Amino acid sequence: MNIECLTDSHLDLPGDLKQVRRALLSVTDKTGLVEFARTLAEFGVELVSTGGTSKALREAGLTVRDISDLTGFPEMLDGRVKTLHPKVHGGILHIRSNESHVAAVTEHEIQPIDMVVVNLYAFEKTSQKPGVSTAEIIENIDIGGPSMVRSAAKNFEDVAIVTSVADYALLAEELAANGGSLGRATRWRLAKAAFAVTAAYDAGIASALESLVDSDTPHAPAVFDTEKLPETVRLIEPRSTVLRYGENPHQKAALYADGTGTGVAAAKQLQGKELSYNNLVDLDACWELVSEFDETAVVIIKHTNPCGAATGSTVLEAYTRALASDPVSAFGGVLGINREVDGAAAEEIAKLFVEAIVAPSFTEDALARFAAKKNLRLIEIVPARTPRVVKQVSGGLLVQDSDHRHVTEDELTVATKRKPTAEEMRALLFAWNVCKHVKSNAIVYARFEDGHGQTVGVGAGQMSRVDAAKFGAMKAVLPLAGSVAASDAFFPFPDGLEVVAAAGATAIIQPGGSVKDALVIEAADRLGVAMVFTGVRHFRHG
């Protein structure tokens, strides 16, 4: 037995430094592994490894000791049992300054392990593969990895636990600066990160299995119940960015990302000032609305409500029409564009002061034209479909399905004697898509010209539907005569409809379902207004 190896980890070192003499490496993601292991070897660190990790290191010319040599026990059960052994966990967990611990590991010839480098089986990635079987999902639940991570993190006073590839370079620098040693602050930081890793990993497993439908054919494609609301809400999303402040300067704020690389939280900023909390909220509202349209569309958002929305044959045409809806409110707004932004559109957009633009891509010509506007934030997004809406209330959370409900012409019920014309119908469906994203109570006036939709006036967030109808008409810059109107919920009385008709709208789309529907229909027939019911409500309270 090599007595030196049992005591070399508590050599006298300055301050809180601990020498790394032996490292156990067992990783799924082998990015940067060889380079980091080579750094360890340069400081005389003995490398102990398992399976594929060991093979990768040997192929790179490094000297590696197999885990079975350390434990005196072979890997077995197709790799299920390899690190679950007292000579692994004893080597990690024993407290170097505790005499009884040192005596115990000496008696059982357990050698200290001073660093553990582990990342876990890619469970969530596996569980989301098309056609993955239940058996494959279960097999990709890592047991030994989380056990080693927790052991090393618990004993951070003596052991460094490395769970992120991103830490390799920083650790290499610190090892070089301290002659192969790491400080307590680093070990403590690594330990906290490690417990976060295992917490997120377990949460991912629990959430996936909760929605997994039990089957007596485990090798058949797994079936998930995606409609069921979870029994437990598990929010494990790492902080992505600390923001300057929240909605107001006295509020702290940060952005947390779900790790999918999609949506506003993971969007790539190409230029401009740092994004604010309010920018991000508006960008999300903007992208949600512009994503409603299959055709080329541009949306201008102000304080989460659209002040202009339009479709067009080009981005430039759609933008010009959206801006014309309310050019005053558009100043300082946020733009959402569902197509690549080209140079022609960029040249025109650059004439207006806007805070940010979100789009799937920008041409080089567009980027060049925007470059002079140094503060303009250009955001490139990978689309995401958010399945749930989570809102915090005092003492808990509210969770609901996202409102992805679309209505087609075939689903509409014509409630009045007069049916909408073909052009009115297209305008009604356009207005309905916009109204869905306007704060309640909401009335949207719109028109359909030259094959494309355009908002005319938006009445948002009013306490009464009558006021929403009046406000939308008051905001109109374009002519209201011949427009149509959408209401996010039913008209409880004829008065709201009468305001809409008096403003110049000739057709209305609304959910229907009021006890006063007959009176509202009677008023519409009297005024010659065509009205259709959707049977779907789109309240948007916050």
Side-chain angles (χ1 to χ4, degrees):
M1 178 177 63
N2 183 354
I3 298 298
E4 182 184 2
C5 74
L6 301 178
T7 59
D8 57 14
S9 287
H10 45 89
L11 295 172
D12 289 334
L13 290 170
D16 57 12
L17 294 176
K18 289 292 175 75
Q19 192 82 20
V20 179
R21 297 290 191 185
R22 184 171 295 105
L24 173 54
L25 304 94
S26 181
V27 296
T28 301
D29 181 0
K30 295 177 176 56
T31 305
L33 169 69
V34 170
E35 293 80 3
F36 184 56
R38 188 168 285 125
T39 298
L40 294 175
E42 288 171 358
F43 288 102
V45 178
E46 181 183 53
L47 306 180
V48 181
S49 192
T50 64
T53 306
S54 177
K55 180 182 177 184
L57 295 176
R58 283 200 177 94
E59 288 176 350
L62 290 160
T63 300
V64 185
R65 186 179 179 188
D66 286 328
I67 193 73
S68 57
D69 180 57
L70 182 77
T71 62
F73 206 88
E75 294 185 28
M76 61 184 298
L77 306 183
D78 299 320
R80 283 188 169 200
V81 177
K82 51 191 174 186
T83 60
L84 296 170
H85 195 281
K87 288 198 173 183
V88 172
H89 288 275
I92 297 170
L93 275 167
H94 77 274
I95 299 172
R96 277 49 164 180
S97 60
N98 185 311
E99 292 183 4
S100 65
H101 283 202
V102 173
V105 296
T106 300
E107 178 184 354
H108 296 288
E109 299 186 2
I110 295 174
Q111 300 175 36
I113 297 171
D114 309 308
M115 175 182 283
V116 175
V117 183
V118 170
N119 49 58
L120 309 177
Y121 295 168
F123 175 82
E124 287 189 282
K125 185 177 180 180
T126 298
S127 66
Q128 293 167 6
K129 283 196 314 185
V132 66
S133 68
T134 299
E136 187 178 356
I137 290 172
I138 298 301
E139 194 59 33
N140 273 271
I141 297 176
D142 200 332
I143 303 300
S147 299
M148 286 192 294
V149 169
R150 291 175 64 86
S151 292
K154 178 175 180 176
N155 203 27
F156 75 92
E157 294 286 5
D158 293 309
V159 180
I161 172 62
V162 186
T163 54
S164 173
V165 170
D167 281 317
Y168 290 174
L170 292 173
L171 292 174
E173 289 179 11
E174 185 168 342
L175 289 165
N178 296 319
S181 300
L182 294 175
R184 187 181 187 276
T186 295
R187 299 193 305 276
W188 174 233
R189 176 181 66 81
L190 294 172
K192 289 188 290 183
F195 280 120
V197 166
T198 58
Y201 191 72
D202 287 339
I205 293 170
S207 296
L209 297 188
E210 186 177 295
S211 62
L212 182 62
V213 178
D214 190 21
S215 171
D216 56 5
T217 55
H219 294 285
V223 177
F224 293 92
D225 183 354
T226 57
E227 299 297 319
K228 182 177 70 173
L229 289 172
E231 295 292 331
T232 302
V233 176
R234 302 174 182 89
L235 296 177
I236 306 292
E237 298 190 1
R239 190 172 68 193
S240 171
T241 309
V242 175
L243 304 172
R244 286 182 296 166
Y245 50 80
E247 282 184 290
N248 300 291
H250 62 275
Q251 294 171 270
K252 295 179 181 177
L255 172 66
Y256 297 79
D258 64 13
T260 62
T262 62
V264 168
K268 182 180 179 182
Q269 185 168 352
L270 304 180
Q271 76 163 49
K273 293 192 300 185
E274 176 186 351
L275 285 166
S276 72
Y277 181 98
N278 291 334
N279 290 153
L280 289 162
V281 172
D282 282 341
L283 284 166
D284 193 52
C286 215
W287 185 250
E288 278 195 12
L289 173 48
V290 82
S291 297
E292 292 280 353
F293 299 101
D294 293 327
E295 57 268 62
T296 301
V298 173
V299 170
I300 307 172
I301 289 283
K302 200 73 173 287
H303 303 300
T304 72
N305 277 307
C307 57
T311 59
S313 56
T314 65
V315 172
L316 174 58
E317 181 186 0
Y319 167 71
T320 303
R321 292 166 61 84
L323 178 63
S325 300
D326 189 350
V328 174
S329 297
F331 183 85
V334 170
L335 268 63
I337 303 171
N338 67 355
R339 295 289 191 276
E340 182 175 65
V341 181
D342 57 27
E347 183 173 5
E348 191 62 28
I349 293 170
K351 297 175 183 177
L352 177 70
F353 169 65
V354 295
E355 292 282 356
I357 303 171
V358 60
S361 59
F362 298 80
T363 67
E364 290 299 322
D365 191 15
L367 292 174
R369 292 172 188 269
F370 284 133
K373 300 178 76 70
K374 300 296 184 183
N375 291 332
L376 172 62
R377 303 158 175 96
L378 298 183
I379 310 300
E380 196 171 76
I381 191 170
V382 176
R385 185 180 176 89
T386 306
R388 301 275 189 264
V389 175
V390 180
K391 182 177 178 62
Q392 187 168 9
V393 295
S394 56
L397 300 172
L398 287 171
V399 180
Q400 65 172 348
D401 292 335
S402 292
D403 187 2
H404 293 305
R405 181 70 163 85
H406 282 272
V407 171
T408 64
E409 184 176 346
D410 293 340
E411 297 175 90
L412 300 178
T413 300
V414 178
T416 51
K417 294 175 182 177
R418 184 173 81 79
K419 295 181 180 181
T421 65
E423 186 171 281
E424 284 176 331
M425 183 61 76
R426 288 193 289 270
L428 288 170
L429 290 171
F430 172 84
W432 184 247
N433 277 339
V434 176
C435 194
K436 173 182 173 182
H437 294 268
V438 178
K439 294 294 187 295
S440 299
N441 287 314
I443 297 289
V444 172
Y445 295 89
R447 64 183 184 178
F448 201 86
E449 291 185 347
D450 302 322
H452 298 292
Q454 179 183 30
T455 54
V456 175
V458 177
Q462 301 305 303
M463 285 67 77
S464 117
R465 195 155 299 279
V466 172
D467 287 343
K470 291 178 179 178
F471 189 72
M474 182 192 76
K475 289 289 293 178
V477 176
L478 300 169
L480 281 165
S483 66
V484 304
S487 175
D488 64 337
F490 59 66
F491 287 99
F493 302 100
D495 51 1
L497 178 141
E498 289 166 350
V499 170
V500 168
T506 60
I508 294 172
I509 185 169
Q510 60 130 321
S514 168
V515 295
K516 303 286 187 181
D517 271 353
L519 290 177
V520 176
I521 294 169
E522 181 183 330
D525 283 335
R526 173 171 45 84
L527 295 167
V529 173
M531 184 166 63
V532 297
F533 288 172
T534 65
V536 176
R537 188 183 75 185
H538 281 312
F539 268 160
R540 197 173 187 87
H541 279 194

